[in-house]
Amino acid sequence: MDRLRALEVFVEVVRREGFARAAEALDTSPANVTRYISDLEAHLRTRLLNRSSRKMSLTSSGEALYERARTILDDVAEAEAIVSAATLQPHGLLRINAPLSFGVLQLAPLWPVFHQQYPDVQLEVALIDRVVDIVDEGYDLAIRISGAGSSSHVARKLATCHNILCAAPAYLRQFGMPATPAELQQHQCIGYSYAALADQWPLLDAAGKQQTVKVRCVMHTNNGDTARAAALGGMGIICQPTFLVGADVRAGRLLRVLPDYAVPDIDVLAVYPSRRHLSAKVRVMIDFLAHHFQGTPPWDRAGQA
């Protein structure tokens, strides 16, 4: 039995959640995939997969092998790239997780550019606003917007994310423009469910002194686009990043609220499992994104919101 090939087949079965889909991805037959899995289980003297006509799941032994096998295959790919000129080009499946709005607005236009540079890397991009466990859920890389970094994984800063308060002109004509942070408490606000401080909005004055205002939210949402749409419709004040609302502010569709106060910046991070050797495909993606976002973020280059 070719143990390395067997591990590759096993990992693909888990990723694709089925033997037939794995066979298609590996350009082989389902019978070959079944044989490799059976031989691997016989060699290890343990069952790796619970299989039925409707569902497949990992056993505890399978879960342990899956995580190690992914690392082994990444290390092998990197070793091949180092020693063989023919395989210097990164290749293989790269699974990425990113927040929905940022993924659509800022990352999606970059994928064709990346593909032109690295045609042998196949991308699988999942846009999910909640914080995923990149190891348990099988991602190679996650893009996160956070001020807290990552305590369990390696994180590289890609850009600074500026947040601002804004509202539609129609809302401000009806309810007035707040002159101080305390006046926010008298206004309708739209909250972001995944925000670290929920309905408490931190604001910095010109001297850098912070005060936190507990706002009254008439709506909560776990998606920035929904908050933006509600604000554009005159529903209330939002606290959202310039990559989402900067163009609206520049066009006058939304107006800055309390422009003399700043919301603390947070970071756009590339987060990946802590490993001694980083696979070539992950490394080139991180370098690609870091190069694109370097300096002033592209969403702010058209002018300050």
Side-chain angles (χ1 to χ4, degrees), residues 6 19 24 62 66 77 105 113 133 142 192 214 239 253 257 263 285:
F19 283 53
E24 183 179 359
Y66 176 66
L105 294 173
V113 181
D133 187 312
Y192 181 59
K214 183 171 177 57
C239 178
R253 294 184 292 269
V257 172
V263 180
M285 175 57 77

Side-chain angles (χ1 to χ4, degrees), residues 1-2 5-42 48-49 51 56:
M1 178 186 64
D2 183 341
R5 178 61 172 172
L7 290 177
E8 183 182 13
V9 171
F10 170 67
V11 167
E12 202 64 34
V13 167
V14 177
R15 281 175 171 166
R16 302 289 175 173
E17 299 181 343
F19 283 53
R21 287 189 291 270
E24 183 179 359
L26 294 167
D27 194 23
T28 188
S29 68
N32 270 339
V33 170
T34 300
R35 178 174 59 81
Y36 271 112
I37 297 301
S38 296
D39 288 349
L40 184 59
E41 289 180 326
L48 301 172
L49 298 166
R51 303 187 282 279
M56 182 196 77

Side-chain angles (χ1 to χ4, degrees), residues 184-206:
L184 284 173
Q185 296 173 321
Q186 311 305 318
H187 280 264
Q188 297 178 179
C189 295
I190 300 163
Y192 181 59
S193 303
Y194 291 140
L197 297 177
D199 297 347
Q200 299 183 62
W201 291 1
L203 296 171
L204 302 172
D205 62 20

